[in-house]
Amino acid sequence: MKRKNFIIKSIIGTAGLSYFSSTLSAFNTTKTLKTSEMSKENSDIFPLTIATWNFPNASKRAGELLAKGTTALDAVEQGVMVEEADIKNTTVGKGGAPDRDGNVTLDACIMSPSGDAGAVVYLKHTFKAASVARKVMEETPHVMLAGEGADLFAAQQGFEKEELFTESAKKDYEKWLVKKEYKPIINIENHDTIGMLCIDENGDLAGACTSSGLSYKVNGRIGDSPIIGSGLFLDNEIGGAVATGMGEAIMKSVGSFLIVELMRQGKSPQEACEEAINRIIKANPNYKEFQAAFIAVNKKGEIGSHCIQKGFSYVKFQYGKNENIPSSYNF
Ligand code: ASP
């Protein structure tokens, strides 16, 4: 049973269901009309995919699916999965670096155009973290599952049990154990989270964010990536934002939510990303020691991106091709 029906049934019982459903479908019709009006205006710029860092294979996968008419939600899930499956990427999915106790744990979230959301944290046995998050969204009455429960749920949903700790990640971990240094190298280490936003040909927006979090983090640490509002937020009538970088700073500013709300108030995606980064700088005296970055898109297809330190870029897939675009920055 899909989550919305589950909630409706549990809350109001079958007696009130028909009134509730018709109200809900009237609301959805209004939203759909707005979206298709918008897409007519912008049919030349959609579909559109943007993603953090330079992950050309992921954005291409999503973009090519969108070009075939795939929905934004399906495209974003399949797009980020390219990185989740890539064992060379040491901070997303399989091949991700472990925590300081040797556990590879994955965090992810996903949002649909309806504003529905799902998330998993401390997932240990499947690399398809964004897909498990989607199952949480669609098949349970909840938004987030953690740890053992998340893995059990994934197994029940048919996800194959996998070993996420690769030989190469083990070698790096053994080297790390010698020094036990816990200081991310800005833009090089620990910063490869993929956050992706897709707008499909109907003008509908979906997003996903997936990560193994900071390398050699304290066992149990969760970053911003799976937190709705921090690592990802969208409103299908306004636009969306995703984050990468130091999760602690991003979480404290609820950065992705902030950006969408600033766009709602009339700021461009670029102005909104700059404001979110400025707030992080203001709140963190040690801001020069870490990276934080946002990318955002609004419903006109305008894109923004800003980060603290030079060196962050994002990838855009539009008109059948990828473009890697350097972000603006403060320092
Ligand atoms: N935001 C991620 C986290 O803090 C890491 C990153 O994007 O570099 O877990």
Side-chain angles (χ1 to χ4, degrees):
M1 186 191 300
K2 295 283 181 235
R3 180 167 69 190
K4 287 229 166 59
N5 292 341
F6 181 97
I7 293 172
I8 289 167
K9 285 200 177 143
S10 7
I11 293 173
I12 59 175
T14 35
L17 191 60
S18 65
Y19 168 76
F20 196 88
S21 307
S22 59
T23 312
L24 195 67
S25 79
F27 173 76
N28 283 340
T29 312
T30 316
K31 249 187 149 174
T32 311
L33 276 179
K34 276 190 186 154
T35 300
S36 56
E37 277 162 19
M38 189 108 51
S39 76
K40 225 177 273 168
E41 256 174 49
N42 295 294
S43 54
D44 51 334
I45 48 172
F46 298 143
L48 171 64
T49 297
I50 56 170
T52 54
W53 304 102
N54 190 16
F55 291 126
N57 297 333
S59 52
K60 187 166 181 250
R61 171 87 179 128
E64 288 180 348
L65 285 169
L66 289 170
K68 287 186 202 151
T70 303
T71 64
L73 185 61
D74 287 337
V76 86
E77 178 190 356
Q78 293 300 318
V80 297
M81 198 190 292
V82 170
E83 284 308 312
E84 291 177 327
D86 181 356
I87 58 167
K88 289 197 289 306
N89 184 331
T90 57
T91 61
V92 180
K94 198 169 178 163
D99 63 26
R100 54 180 58 187
D101 295 338
N103 306 290
V104 179
T105 63
L106 306 182
D107 303 332
C109 69
I110 195 160
M111 284 190 82
S112 74
S114 69
D116 212 353
V120 282
V121 298
Y122 208 88
L123 189 73
K124 275 170 102 172
H125 297 305
T126 172
F127 70 88
K128 295 177 184 170
S131 300
V132 181
R134 181 171 177 179
K135 288 286 183 193
V136 174
M137 173 173 86
E138 292 179 340
E139 305 296 336
T140 81
H142 310 303
V143 169
M144 183 181 282
L145 293 182
E148 206 183 312
D151 274 309
L152 183 63
F153 171 73
Q156 286 163 350
Q157 292 294 318
F159 288 87
E160 211 178 302
K161 193 168 178 180
E162 302 254 356
E163 176 55 60
L164 304 181
F165 205 1
T166 58
E167 285 312 311
S168 146
K170 274 183 198 157
K171 276 188 196 140
D172 290 344
Y173 174 58
E174 275 151 25
K175 277 188 217 149
W176 178 82
L177 280 175
V178 178
K179 285 192 183 167
K180 289 203 171 173
E181 263 172 11
Y182 185 59
K183 196 173 177 198
I185 300 168
I186 291 163
N187 292 326
I188 299 174
E189 241 178 33
N190 307 322
H191 290 300
D192 286 334
T193 294
I194 182 162
M196 182 181 280
L197 296 163
C198 288
I199 302 185
D200 62 28
E201 61 184 15
N202 294 321
D204 284 324
L205 172 65
C209 191
T210 176
S211 182
S212 56
L214 290 181
S215 307
Y216 317 125
K217 60 197 172 186
V218 172
N219 187 354
R221 180 264 187 192
I222 304 297
D224 61 305
S225 308
I227 309 295
I228 302 298
S230 291
L232 162 71
F233 194 71
L234 64 84
D235 180 323
N236 199 33
E237 290 183 6
I238 306 297
V242 283
T244 180
M246 191 57 76
E248 283 69 11
I250 295 163
M251 278 194 276
K252 285 187 276 183
S253 72
V254 200
S256 294
F257 179 75
L258 172 65
I259 289 168
V260 173
E261 292 312 300
L262 290 170
M263 293 196 292
R264 193 191 304 280
Q265 289 163 24
K267 291 222 189 282
S268 69
Q270 182 62 32
E271 288 166 340
C273 289
E274 286 175 17
E275 171 69 25
I277 289 295
N278 285 339
R279 292 218 194 163
I280 289 179
I281 288 172
K282 214 170 155 195
N284 294 273
N286 65 335
Y287 63 85
K288 286 203 174 151
E289 290 166 23
F290 63 86
Q291 179 63 294
F294 294 100
I295 61 171
V297 64
N298 66 14
K299 291 289 293 209
K300 289 188 226 156
E302 293 166 338
I303 296 167
S305 166
H306 197 66
C307 61
I308 302 180
Q309 327 274 353
K310 187 179 178 181
F312 169 69
S313 66
Y314 67 95
V315 64
K316 172 175 87 162
F317 191 93
Q318 194 180 24
Y319 310 127
K321 63 176 176 33
N322 267 321
E323 197 181 342
N324 183 228
I325 302 165
S327 172
S328 60
Y329 54 89
N330 279 43
F331 302 98

